[in-house]
Amino acid sequence: MNIIEGIRTVEELEVENKRVFVRVDFNVPMDDGRITDDTRIREALPTIEVLRAKGAKVVLASHLGRPKPGKHDGLSMVPAGERLAELADVEVHVPENCIGKTAQKVIFDLRPGQVCLLENLRFHEEEEKNDEGFARELASLADAYVCDAFGALHRAHASVHALPRLFRDRAAGLLVMKEIRSLGRLLEATERPYVAILGGAKVSDKIAVIEALMERCDAILIGGAMANTFLAAKGLNMQRSLVEHDKLPLARTLLEKAAARRIDFLLPTDLVVGESVKSTEGRLVAAADVPEGMSALDIGPDTVARYAAKTADAGLVFWNGPMGLFEQAAFSRGTFGLATALTESKAFTVVGGGDSAAAVHAAGGNLAAKFGHISTGGGASLELIEGKKLPGIEALRP
Ligand code: ADP
Ligand code: MG
């Protein structure tokens, strides 16, 4: 199964002297107007470079955050434009509206090889409504369309869904191609054993992906707060840990399914506990002995070693969701230890999920470079693995 069969790539488009609308994903994490992680901007550079080299006039557009209707909430694309200008060593004009006269004027003035970045698409509510009229206004700005916004492909929003259909010349960008090629290996699942590691905040966020992975994986290893719910479902007293009590029956059903299919479904045997999510000190305990008043906030070294052993001779590993509250040093060892172990596995290792990718970067030691693929999309990568059709891909089909 090849999801992108028949879809043109940016390299195949005839773009010389043409205005090319490029939907990128510059939805970068910001802190007080500063970009804290520019990975998504860096990952868009190859497509931008190809277009510039071919003499296109490059019109970039993205959403950023969730501005409330009528409010801009400090969510301007200007900081992203400045970062792009540094990274690509090019001047980047940012008109203050993504449609209308101000945008037209900037785009009209572009010469081949020049770049502009439109203002936040979500400043118009029509973007999230997949509005045809808004899409037509965007379409009037360009001659061709390229989608390189992997992280937005699962959303039927105007710039990824209604818009591409309005162009005869539409194509996928290099980041989208790379993501689909890498994540596609998880769908094909020909490399064995296939091991999935799931963690993060909630079981409820990931039910569909757990069920989809059960169809394909040989082993599923659980960590993070998600593990608490499974451990509680097995009758352990998790004390003050984050447990989704309404999901206990579901957790039991999933455990039974895994057993029936002979999937190795591993849960933590030891945990690092703390008094609250603000604790700066952790205490190592057996999973069955979480002390009264304490919360499980990380997996322990025995669990890391068991999980590392499972992945050592795997063919394929997919990891979504941190193993603990890695943002706090006291509870980061499980996540960072597992990340290190994965770089030593001979498997093709894929990381999906915004916080998981951040955790791999935070682990330091240039670990990120040793993974097979770190997806720039959280929701999009999960939906792809679930085997769902992505609206942004469907809209690119001939
Ligand atoms: P991703 O974005 O990679 O899909 P999630 O959003 O599901 O991951 O979960 C990430 C969050 O889960 C992190 O902020 C992390 O601190 C939190 N988390 C992981 N384990 C625990 C735990 N045991 N207790 C509380 N929070 C946890
Ligand atoms: Mg997250």
Side-chain angles (χ1 to χ4, degrees):
M1 175 179 40
N2 184 355
I3 306 163
I4 38 180
E5 197 167 315
I7 292 177
R8 278 201 284 174
T9 75
V10 60
E11 282 155 321
E12 292 161 340
L13 282 188
E14 184 62 65
V15 294
E16 194 180 344
N17 218 5
K18 287 191 185 151
R19 298 164 301 165
V20 182
F21 186 104
V22 188
R23 178 46 160 110
V24 286
D25 178 13
F26 285 0
N27 182 31
V28 289
M30 308 268 294
D31 183 19
D32 208 10
R34 264 182 348 101
I35 295 169
T36 54
D37 180 359
D38 62 9
T39 307
R40 285 176 163 175
I41 301 177
R42 287 174 190 275
E43 295 275 9
L45 295 175
T47 290
I48 297 169
E49 285 316 317
V50 164
L51 289 168
R52 293 185 65 209
K54 290 175 36 147
K57 302 169 180 175
V58 183
V59 181
L60 304 168
S62 176
H63 75 280
L64 176 62
R66 299 174 191 277
K68 292 184 198 78
K71 292 245 169 67
H72 286 190
D73 294 336
L75 292 170
S76 165
M77 298 306 299
V78 168
E82 286 168 355
R83 184 60 58 90
L84 173 64
E86 284 164 28
L87 293 170
D89 195 18
V90 62
E91 215 185 316
V92 180
H93 310 260
V94 183
E96 58 194 46
N97 191 350
C98 62
I99 50 173
K101 290 238 160 55
T102 46
Q104 280 164 7
K105 162 109 186 58
V106 169
I107 294 166
F108 189 81
D109 284 345
L110 290 178
R111 289 191 300 278
Q114 289 192 323
V115 177
C116 75
L117 171 61
L118 301 181
E119 203 28 288
N120 195 344
L121 293 163
R122 284 198 187 163
F123 286 169
H124 293 264
E125 285 173 73
E126 295 91 336
E127 163 67 0
E128 290 183 69
K129 293 184 179 143
N130 203 20
D131 185 83
E132 244 341 275
F134 179 60
R136 249 181 261 117
E137 292 214 49
L138 291 171
S140 73
L141 301 173
D143 308 302
Y145 175 94
V146 171
C147 184
D148 212 21
F150 178 75
L153 288 182
H154 61 310
R155 302 213 161 103
H157 291 176
S159 63
V160 276
H161 194 247
L163 180 60
R165 290 272 171 214
L166 302 175
F167 289 94
R168 190 178 47 97
D169 286 330
R170 52 181 188 265
L174 298 177
L175 173 60
V176 163
M177 300 298 291
K178 180 174 85 169
E179 291 270 9
I180 301 237
R181 219 177 295 121
S182 297
L183 294 165
R185 282 166 76 168
L186 301 175
L187 271 177
E188 282 156 23
T190 45
E191 296 146 289
R192 295 270 164 180
Y194 177 10
V195 179
I197 307 165
L198 296 171
K202 290 181 182 169
V203 177
S204 49
D205 286 347
K206 314 259 165 93
I207 297 165
V209 81
I210 300 174
E211 296 203 318
L213 287 167
M214 288 228 195
E215 302 285 331
R216 296 191 187 86
C217 287
D218 302 298
I220 299 182
L221 323 179
I222 306 281
M226 181 189 282
N228 299 335
T229 300
F230 282 104
L231 291 169
K234 293 189 89 162
L236 272 58
N237 186 343
M238 300 311 290
Q239 305 291 352
R240 306 258 314 260
S241 310
L242 210 65
V243 171
E244 287 172 275
H245 293 283
D246 59 325
K247 294 291 179 270
L248 293 176
L250 170 80
R252 279 186 208 108
T253 310
L254 291 171
L255 288 166
E256 280 161 19
K257 260 193 196 170
R261 293 182 184 190
R262 297 180 195 286
I263 296 166
D264 270 332
F265 201 90
L266 270 51
L267 295 174
T269 42
D270 59 346
L271 297 162
V272 181
V273 299
E275 265 161 27
S276 81
V277 292
K278 297 202 178 86
S279 306
T280 51
E281 243 176 283
R283 194 166 123 202
L284 182 64
V285 300
D289 300 327
V290 176
E292 206 183 318
M294 301 285 246
S295 305
L297 296 170
D298 194 11
I299 59 172
D302 176 57
T303 305
V304 173
R306 281 167 56 236
Y307 290 7
K310 266 278 166 225
T311 55
D313 57 0
L316 206 52
V317 175
F318 173 62
W319 181 16
N320 169 278
M323 296 291 100
L325 191 80
F326 76 96
E327 296 91 341
Q328 293 258 28
F331 308 105
S332 65
R333 276 188 214 113
T335 301
F336 294 171
L338 187 69
T340 308
L342 289 185
T343 63
E344 286 154 13
S345 158
K346 61 178 176 32
F348 181 65
T349 48
V350 179
V351 179
D355 293 296
S356 310
V360 170
H361 289 290
N366 202 25
L367 284 191
K370 297 177 195 152
F371 278 80
H373 181 69
I374 301 178
S375 180
T376 55
S381 64
L382 294 183
E383 291 199 15
L384 194 82
I385 298 177
E386 284 163 34
K388 285 196 191 150
K389 284 191 172 166
L390 304 180
I393 291 291
E394 296 312 306
L396 293 177
R397 292 196 193 286

PDB file of all heavy atoms in Angstrom, residues 145-175:
ATOM      1  N   TYR A 145       0.126  25.090  -6.053  1.00  0.00           N
ATOM      2  CA  TYR A 145      -0.003  24.803  -4.614  1.00  0.00           C
ATOM      3  C   TYR A 145       0.905  23.648  -4.211  1.00  0.00           C
ATOM      4  O   TYR A 145       0.971  22.621  -4.901  1.00  0.00           O
ATOM      5  CB  TYR A 145      -1.455  24.420  -4.315  1.00  0.00           C
ATOM      6  CG  TYR A 145      -1.707  23.991  -2.881  1.00  0.00           C
ATOM      7  CD1 TYR A 145      -2.135  24.898  -1.916  1.00  0.00           C
ATOM      8  CD2 TYR A 145      -1.538  22.653  -2.498  1.00  0.00           C
ATOM      9  CE1 TYR A 145      -2.371  24.506  -0.599  1.00  0.00           C
ATOM     10  CE2 TYR A 145      -1.776  22.248  -1.185  1.00  0.00           C
ATOM     11  CZ  TYR A 145      -2.189  23.174  -0.242  1.00  0.00           C
ATOM     12  OH  TYR A 145      -2.421  22.776   1.051  1.00  0.00           O
ATOM     13  N   VAL A 146       1.587  23.831  -3.107  1.00  0.00           N
ATOM     14  CA  VAL A 146       2.397  22.743  -2.549  1.00  0.00           C
ATOM     15  C   VAL A 146       2.024  22.587  -1.075  1.00  0.00           C
ATOM     16  O   VAL A 146       1.934  23.576  -0.343  1.00  0.00           O
ATOM     17  CB  VAL A 146       3.913  23.048  -2.666  1.00  0.00           C
ATOM     18  CG1 VAL A 146       4.737  22.023  -1.879  1.00  0.00           C
ATOM     19  CG2 VAL A 146       4.334  23.058  -4.132  1.00  0.00           C
ATOM     20  N   CYS A 147       1.778  21.346  -0.654  1.00  0.00           N
ATOM     21  CA  CYS A 147       1.519  21.120   0.764  1.00  0.00           C
ATOM     22  C   CYS A 147       2.741  20.466   1.405  1.00  0.00           C
ATOM     23  O   CYS A 147       3.159  19.381   1.006  1.00  0.00           O
ATOM     24  CB  CYS A 147       0.304  20.219   0.975  1.00  0.00           C
ATOM     25  SG  CYS A 147      -0.045  20.070   2.738  1.00  0.00           S
ATOM     26  N   ASP A 148       3.325  21.163   2.372  1.00  0.00           N
ATOM     27  CA  ASP A 148       4.442  20.560   3.118  1.00  0.00           C
ATOM     28  C   ASP A 148       4.161  20.606   4.626  1.00  0.00           C
ATOM     29  O   ASP A 148       5.063  20.462   5.438  1.00  0.00           O
ATOM     30  CB  ASP A 148       5.754  21.293   2.800  1.00  0.00           C
ATOM     31  CG  ASP A 148       6.949  20.334   2.866  1.00  0.00           C
ATOM     32  OD1 ASP A 148       6.734  19.108   2.763  1.00  0.00           O
ATOM     33  OD2 ASP A 148       8.096  20.799   3.012  1.00  0.00           O
ATOM     34  N   ALA A 149       2.871  20.795   4.959  1.00  0.00           N
ATOM     35  CA  ALA A 149       2.485  20.938   6.370  1.00  0.00           C
ATOM     36  C   ALA A 149       2.075  19.584   6.922  1.00  0.00           C
ATOM     37  O   ALA A 149       0.897  19.324   7.173  1.00  0.00           O
ATOM     38  CB  ALA A 149       1.333  21.928   6.478  1.00  0.00           C
ATOM     39  N   PHE A 150       3.049  18.710   7.147  1.00  0.00           N
ATOM     40  CA  PHE A 150       2.689  17.367   7.580  1.00  0.00           C
ATOM     41  C   PHE A 150       1.823  17.399   8.838  1.00  0.00           C
ATOM     42  O   PHE A 150       0.818  16.696   8.932  1.00  0.00           O
ATOM     43  CB  PHE A 150       3.925  16.494   7.822  1.00  0.00           C
ATOM     44  CG  PHE A 150       3.528  15.131   8.301  1.00  0.00           C
ATOM     45  CD1 PHE A 150       2.995  14.212   7.411  1.00  0.00           C
ATOM     46  CD2 PHE A 150       3.597  14.795   9.648  1.00  0.00           C
ATOM     47  CE1 PHE A 150       2.553  12.975   7.840  1.00  0.00           C
ATOM     48  CE2 PHE A 150       3.151  13.559  10.098  1.00  0.00           C
ATOM     49  CZ  PHE A 150       2.636  12.649   9.194  1.00  0.00           C
ATOM     50  N   GLY A 151       2.201  18.254   9.799  1.00  0.00           N
ATOM     51  CA  GLY A 151       1.494  18.296  11.081  1.00  0.00           C
ATOM     52  C   GLY A 151       0.044  18.738  10.989  1.00  0.00           C
ATOM     53  O   GLY A 151      -0.699  18.636  11.968  1.00  0.00           O
ATOM     54  N   ALA A 152      -0.374  19.242   9.819  1.00  0.00           N
ATOM     55  CA  ALA A 152      -1.753  19.720   9.658  1.00  0.00           C
ATOM     56  C   ALA A 152      -2.568  18.844   8.711  1.00  0.00           C
ATOM     57  O   ALA A 152      -3.743  19.104   8.464  1.00  0.00           O
ATOM     58  CB  ALA A 152      -1.746  21.162   9.150  1.00  0.00           C
ATOM     59  N   LEU A 153      -1.965  17.775   8.197  1.00  0.00           N
ATOM     60  CA  LEU A 153      -2.633  16.966   7.165  1.00  0.00           C
ATOM     61  C   LEU A 153      -3.902  16.274   7.644  1.00  0.00           C
ATOM     62  O   LEU A 153      -4.754  15.918   6.832  1.00  0.00           O
ATOM     63  CB  LEU A 153      -1.679  15.865   6.657  1.00  0.00           C
ATOM     64  CG  LEU A 153      -0.516  16.303   5.774  1.00  0.00           C
ATOM     65  CD1 LEU A 153       0.270  15.078   5.337  1.00  0.00           C
ATOM     66  CD2 LEU A 153      -1.033  17.055   4.561  1.00  0.00           C
ATOM     67  N   HIS A 154      -4.009  16.048   8.960  1.00  0.00           N
ATOM     68  CA  HIS A 154      -5.185  15.329   9.470  1.00  0.00           C
ATOM     69  C   HIS A 154      -6.363  16.258   9.702  1.00  0.00           C
ATOM     70  O   HIS A 154      -7.405  15.831  10.184  1.00  0.00           O
ATOM     71  CB  HIS A 154      -4.837  14.582  10.760  1.00  0.00           C
ATOM     72  CG  HIS A 154      -4.377  15.460  11.880  1.00  0.00           C
ATOM     73  ND1 HIS A 154      -3.389  16.415  11.711  1.00  0.00           N
ATOM     74  CD2 HIS A 154      -4.769  15.558  13.170  1.00  0.00           C
ATOM     75  CE1 HIS A 154      -3.198  17.032  12.874  1.00  0.00           C
ATOM     76  NE2 HIS A 154      -4.016  16.529  13.764  1.00  0.00           N
ATOM     77  N   ARG A 155      -6.194  17.542   9.367  1.00  0.00           N
ATOM     78  CA  ARG A 155      -7.273  18.494   9.604  1.00  0.00           C
ATOM     79  C   ARG A 155      -7.892  18.936   8.285  1.00  0.00           C
ATOM     80  O   ARG A 155      -7.175  19.397   7.398  1.00  0.00           O
ATOM     81  CB  ARG A 155      -6.722  19.719  10.320  1.00  0.00           C
ATOM     82  CG  ARG A 155      -6.077  19.337  11.635  1.00  0.00           C
ATOM     83  CD  ARG A 155      -6.274  20.428  12.639  1.00  0.00           C
ATOM     84  NE  ARG A 155      -6.074  19.928  13.981  1.00  0.00           N
ATOM     85  CZ  ARG A 155      -4.970  20.149  14.705  1.00  0.00           C
ATOM     86  NH1 ARG A 155      -4.000  20.868  14.199  1.00  0.00           N
ATOM     87  NH2 ARG A 155      -4.882  19.664  15.917  1.00  0.00           N
ATOM     88  N   ALA A 156      -9.215  18.842   8.186  1.00  0.00           N
ATOM     89  CA  ALA A 156      -9.885  19.329   6.973  1.00  0.00           C
ATOM     90  C   ALA A 156     -10.119  20.825   7.131  1.00  0.00           C
ATOM     91  O   ALA A 156     -11.238  21.281   7.319  1.00  0.00           O
ATOM     92  CB  ALA A 156     -11.192  18.587   6.752  1.00  0.00           C
ATOM     93  N   HIS A 157      -9.032  21.588   7.095  1.00  0.00           N
ATOM     94  CA  HIS A 157      -9.120  23.042   7.178  1.00  0.00           C
ATOM     95  C   HIS A 157      -8.878  23.638   5.794  1.00  0.00           C
ATOM     96  O   HIS A 157      -8.298  22.977   4.923  1.00  0.00           O
ATOM     97  CB  HIS A 157      -8.104  23.581   8.201  1.00  0.00           C
ATOM     98  CG  HIS A 157      -8.452  23.206   9.621  1.00  0.00           C
ATOM     99  ND1 HIS A 157      -7.654  23.499  10.692  1.00  0.00           N
ATOM    100  CD2 HIS A 157      -9.543  22.564  10.119  1.00  0.00           C
ATOM    101  CE1 HIS A 157      -8.221  23.043  11.803  1.00  0.00           C
ATOM    102  NE2 HIS A 157      -9.363  22.474  11.478  1.00  0.00           N
ATOM    103  N   ALA A 158      -9.317  24.884   5.609  1.00  0.00           N
ATOM    104  CA  ALA A 158      -9.338  25.470   4.261  1.00  0.00           C
ATOM    105  C   ALA A 158      -7.998  25.367   3.533  1.00  0.00           C
ATOM    106  O   ALA A 158      -7.946  24.935   2.386  1.00  0.00           O
ATOM    107  CB  ALA A 158      -9.797  26.924   4.339  1.00  0.00           C
ATOM    108  N   SER A 159      -6.913  25.737   4.195  1.00  0.00           N
ATOM    109  CA  SER A 159      -5.630  25.791   3.482  1.00  0.00           C
ATOM    110  C   SER A 159      -5.048  24.413   3.164  1.00  0.00           C
ATOM    111  O   SER A 159      -4.156  24.311   2.329  1.00  0.00           O
ATOM    112  CB  SER A 159      -4.615  26.598   4.306  1.00  0.00           C
ATOM    113  OG  SER A 159      -4.366  25.939   5.530  1.00  0.00           O
ATOM    114  N   VAL A 160      -5.534  23.366   3.837  1.00  0.00           N
ATOM    115  CA  VAL A 160      -5.040  22.014   3.517  1.00  0.00           C
ATOM    116  C   VAL A 160      -6.061  21.173   2.768  1.00  0.00           C
ATOM    117  O   VAL A 160      -5.707  20.177   2.137  1.00  0.00           O
ATOM    118  CB  VAL A 160      -4.604  21.200   4.769  1.00  0.00           C
ATOM    119  CG1 VAL A 160      -3.205  21.529   5.179  1.00  0.00           C
ATOM    120  CG2 VAL A 160      -5.552  21.350   5.918  1.00  0.00           C
ATOM    121  N   HIS A 161      -7.331  21.549   2.838  1.00  0.00           N
ATOM    122  CA  HIS A 161      -8.351  20.697   2.227  1.00  0.00           C
ATOM    123  C   HIS A 161      -9.106  21.351   1.069  1.00  0.00           C
ATOM    124  O   HIS A 161      -9.039  20.889  -0.064  1.00  0.00           O
ATOM    125  CB  HIS A 161      -9.316  20.172   3.287  1.00  0.00           C
ATOM    126  CG  HIS A 161     -10.161  19.042   2.797  1.00  0.00           C
ATOM    127  ND1 HIS A 161     -11.516  19.159   2.640  1.00  0.00           N
ATOM    128  CD2 HIS A 161      -9.814  17.805   2.404  1.00  0.00           C
ATOM    129  CE1 HIS A 161     -11.979  18.016   2.168  1.00  0.00           C
ATOM    130  NE2 HIS A 161     -10.961  17.175   2.010  1.00  0.00           N
ATOM    131  N   ALA A 162      -9.791  22.482   1.329  1.00  0.00           N
ATOM    132  CA  ALA A 162     -10.549  23.131   0.250  1.00  0.00           C
ATOM    133  C   ALA A 162      -9.611  23.749  -0.795  1.00  0.00           C
ATOM    134  O   ALA A 162      -9.875  23.692  -1.993  1.00  0.00           O
ATOM    135  CB  ALA A 162     -11.462  24.211   0.823  1.00  0.00           C
ATOM    136  N   LEU A 163      -8.511  24.312  -0.328  1.00  0.00           N
ATOM    137  CA  LEU A 163      -7.618  25.076  -1.213  1.00  0.00           C
ATOM    138  C   LEU A 163      -6.928  24.262  -2.327  1.00  0.00           C
ATOM    139  O   LEU A 163      -6.992  24.656  -3.492  1.00  0.00           O
ATOM    140  CB  LEU A 163      -6.586  25.826  -0.371  1.00  0.00           C
ATOM    141  CG  LEU A 163      -5.556  26.680  -1.110  1.00  0.00           C
ATOM    142  CD1 LEU A 163      -6.239  27.779  -1.932  1.00  0.00           C
ATOM    143  CD2 LEU A 163      -4.564  27.311  -0.130  1.00  0.00           C
ATOM    144  N   PRO A 164      -6.263  23.146  -2.024  1.00  0.00           N
ATOM    145  CA  PRO A 164      -5.530  22.459  -3.091  1.00  0.00           C
ATOM    146  C   PRO A 164      -6.390  22.083  -4.290  1.00  0.00           C
ATOM    147  O   PRO A 164      -5.927  22.139  -5.432  1.00  0.00           O
ATOM    148  CB  PRO A 164      -4.975  21.207  -2.402  1.00  0.00           C
ATOM    149  CG  PRO A 164      -5.467  21.223  -1.001  1.00  0.00           C
ATOM    150  CD  PRO A 164      -6.031  22.551  -0.712  1.00  0.00           C
ATOM    151  N   ARG A 165      -7.657  21.755  -4.045  1.00  0.00           N
ATOM    152  CA  ARG A 165      -8.563  21.370  -5.136  1.00  0.00           C
ATOM    153  C   ARG A 165      -8.780  22.492  -6.146  1.00  0.00           C
ATOM    154  O   ARG A 165      -9.262  22.248  -7.250  1.00  0.00           O
ATOM    155  CB  ARG A 165      -9.928  20.969  -4.546  1.00  0.00           C
ATOM    156  CG  ARG A 165      -9.870  19.662  -3.797  1.00  0.00           C
ATOM    157  CD  ARG A 165     -10.118  18.533  -4.775  1.00  0.00           C
ATOM    158  NE  ARG A 165      -9.865  17.246  -4.165  1.00  0.00           N
ATOM    159  CZ  ARG A 165      -9.367  16.221  -4.848  1.00  0.00           C
ATOM    160  NH1 ARG A 165      -9.091  16.341  -6.130  1.00  0.00           N
ATOM    161  NH2 ARG A 165      -9.160  15.078  -4.255  1.00  0.00           N
ATOM    162  N   LEU A 166      -8.468  23.721  -5.737  1.00  0.00           N
ATOM    163  CA  LEU A 166      -8.689  24.864  -6.626  1.00  0.00           C
ATOM    164  C   LEU A 166      -7.508  25.095  -7.574  1.00  0.00           C
ATOM    165  O   LEU A 166      -7.538  26.004  -8.388  1.00  0.00           O
ATOM    166  CB  LEU A 166      -8.959  26.127  -5.799  1.00  0.00           C
ATOM    167  CG  LEU A 166     -10.164  26.025  -4.844  1.00  0.00           C
ATOM    168  CD1 LEU A 166     -10.289  27.277  -3.981  1.00  0.00           C
ATOM    169  CD2 LEU A 166     -11.455  25.810  -5.635  1.00  0.00           C
ATOM    170  N   PHE A 167      -6.471  24.274  -7.428  1.00  0.00           N
ATOM    171  CA  PHE A 167      -5.297  24.399  -8.303  1.00  0.00           C
ATOM    172  C   PHE A 167      -5.174  23.167  -9.198  1.00  0.00           C
ATOM    173  O   PHE A 167      -5.302  22.038  -8.718  1.00  0.00           O
ATOM    174  CB  PHE A 167      -4.016  24.501  -7.461  1.00  0.00           C
ATOM    175  CG  PHE A 167      -3.858  25.803  -6.727  1.00  0.00           C
ATOM    176  CD1 PHE A 167      -4.290  25.925  -5.419  1.00  0.00           C
ATOM    177  CD2 PHE A 167      -3.279  26.901  -7.342  1.00  0.00           C
ATOM    178  CE1 PHE A 167      -4.147  27.112  -4.725  1.00  0.00           C
ATOM    179  CE2 PHE A 167      -3.128  28.095  -6.651  1.00  0.00           C
ATOM    180  CZ  PHE A 167      -3.562  28.206  -5.339  1.00  0.00           C
ATOM    181  N   ARG A 168      -4.884  23.409 -10.460  1.00  0.00           N
ATOM    182  CA  ARG A 168      -4.583  22.278 -11.337  1.00  0.00           C
ATOM    183  C   ARG A 168      -3.224  21.707 -10.955  1.00  0.00           C
ATOM    184  O   ARG A 168      -3.034  20.505 -10.870  1.00  0.00           O
ATOM    185  CB  ARG A 168      -4.567  22.747 -12.798  1.00  0.00           C
ATOM    186  CG  ARG A 168      -4.514  21.622 -13.824  1.00  0.00           C
ATOM    187  CD  ARG A 168      -4.561  22.213 -15.237  1.00  0.00           C
ATOM    188  NE  ARG A 168      -3.612  23.335 -15.367  1.00  0.00           N
ATOM    189  CZ  ARG A 168      -2.382  23.216 -15.885  1.00  0.00           C
ATOM    190  NH1 ARG A 168      -1.957  22.060 -16.337  1.00  0.00           N
ATOM    191  NH2 ARG A 168      -1.582  24.275 -15.948  1.00  0.00           N
ATOM    192  N   ASP A 169      -2.266  22.622 -10.715  1.00  0.00           N
ATOM    193  CA  ASP A 169      -0.924  22.195 -10.307  1.00  0.00           C
ATOM    194  C   ASP A 169      -0.829  22.161  -8.793  1.00  0.00           C
ATOM    195  O   ASP A 169      -0.722  23.211  -8.143  1.00  0.00           O
ATOM    196  CB  ASP A 169       0.126  23.160 -10.869  1.00  0.00           C
ATOM    197  CG  ASP A 169       0.310  22.962 -12.354  1.00  0.00           C
ATOM    198  OD1 ASP A 169       0.121  21.827 -12.836  1.00  0.00           O
ATOM    199  OD2 ASP A 169       0.620  23.955 -13.040  1.00  0.00           O
ATOM    200  N   ARG A 170      -0.892  20.952  -8.243  1.00  0.00           N
ATOM    201  CA  ARG A 170      -0.763  20.804  -6.787  1.00  0.00           C
ATOM    202  C   ARG A 170       0.143  19.616  -6.495  1.00  0.00           C
ATOM    203  O   ARG A 170       0.138  18.618  -7.230  1.00  0.00           O
ATOM    204  CB  ARG A 170      -2.130  20.650  -6.128  1.00  0.00           C
ATOM    205  CG  ARG A 170      -3.000  19.579  -6.736  1.00  0.00           C
ATOM    206  CD  ARG A 170      -4.345  19.540  -6.013  1.00  0.00           C
ATOM    207  NE  ARG A 170      -5.138  18.405  -6.434  1.00  0.00           N
ATOM    208  CZ  ARG A 170      -6.068  18.455  -7.391  1.00  0.00           C
ATOM    209  NH1 ARG A 170      -6.327  19.580  -8.027  1.00  0.00           N
ATOM    210  NH2 ARG A 170      -6.752  17.372  -7.703  1.00  0.00           N
ATOM    211  N   ALA A 171       0.916  19.756  -5.426  1.00  0.00           N
ATOM    212  CA  ALA A 171       1.924  18.733  -5.167  1.00  0.00           C
ATOM    213  C   ALA A 171       2.247  18.646  -3.685  1.00  0.00           C
ATOM    214  O   ALA A 171       1.931  19.545  -2.901  1.00  0.00           O
ATOM    215  CB  ALA A 171       3.201  19.062  -5.949  1.00  0.00           C
ATOM    216  N   ALA A 172       2.906  17.533  -3.324  1.00  0.00           N
ATOM    217  CA  ALA A 172       3.378  17.351  -1.949  1.00  0.00           C
ATOM    218  C   ALA A 172       4.809  17.865  -1.853  1.00  0.00           C
ATOM    219  O   ALA A 172       5.605  17.722  -2.776  1.00  0.00           O
ATOM    220  CB  ALA A 172       3.333  15.878  -1.572  1.00  0.00           C
ATOM    221  N   GLY A 173       5.132  18.456  -0.706  1.00  0.00           N
ATOM    222  CA  GLY A 173       6.483  18.930  -0.457  1.00  0.00           C
ATOM    223  C   GLY A 173       7.390  17.809   0.040  1.00  0.00           C
ATOM    224  O   GLY A 173       6.936  16.688   0.302  1.00  0.00           O
ATOM    225  N   LEU A 174       8.671  18.137   0.176  1.00  0.00           N
ATOM    226  CA  LEU A 174       9.663  17.114   0.537  1.00  0.00           C
ATOM    227  C   LEU A 174       9.500  16.595   1.965  1.00  0.00           C
ATOM    228  O   LEU A 174       9.766  15.426   2.242  1.00  0.00           O
ATOM    229  CB  LEU A 174      11.073  17.673   0.340  1.00  0.00           C
ATOM    230  CG  LEU A 174      11.396  18.072  -1.102  1.00  0.00           C
ATOM    231  CD1 LEU A 174      12.788  18.687  -1.184  1.00  0.00           C
ATOM    232  CD2 LEU A 174      11.288  16.871  -2.039  1.00  0.00           C
ATOM    233  N   LEU A 175       9.048  17.452   2.893  1.00  0.00           N
ATOM    234  CA  LEU A 175       8.843  16.996   4.270  1.00  0.00           C
ATOM    235  C   LEU A 175       7.681  16.000   4.326  1.00  0.00           C
ATOM    236  O   LEU A 175       7.786  14.939   4.948  1.00  0.00           O
ATOM    237  CB  LEU A 175       8.579  18.179   5.207  1.00  0.00           C
ATOM    238  CG  LEU A 175       8.193  17.793   6.641  1.00  0.00           C
ATOM    239  CD1 LEU A 175       9.301  16.987   7.307  1.00  0.00           C
ATOM    240  CD2 LEU A 175       7.861  19.032   7.470  1.00  0.00           C
TER     241      LEU A 175
END
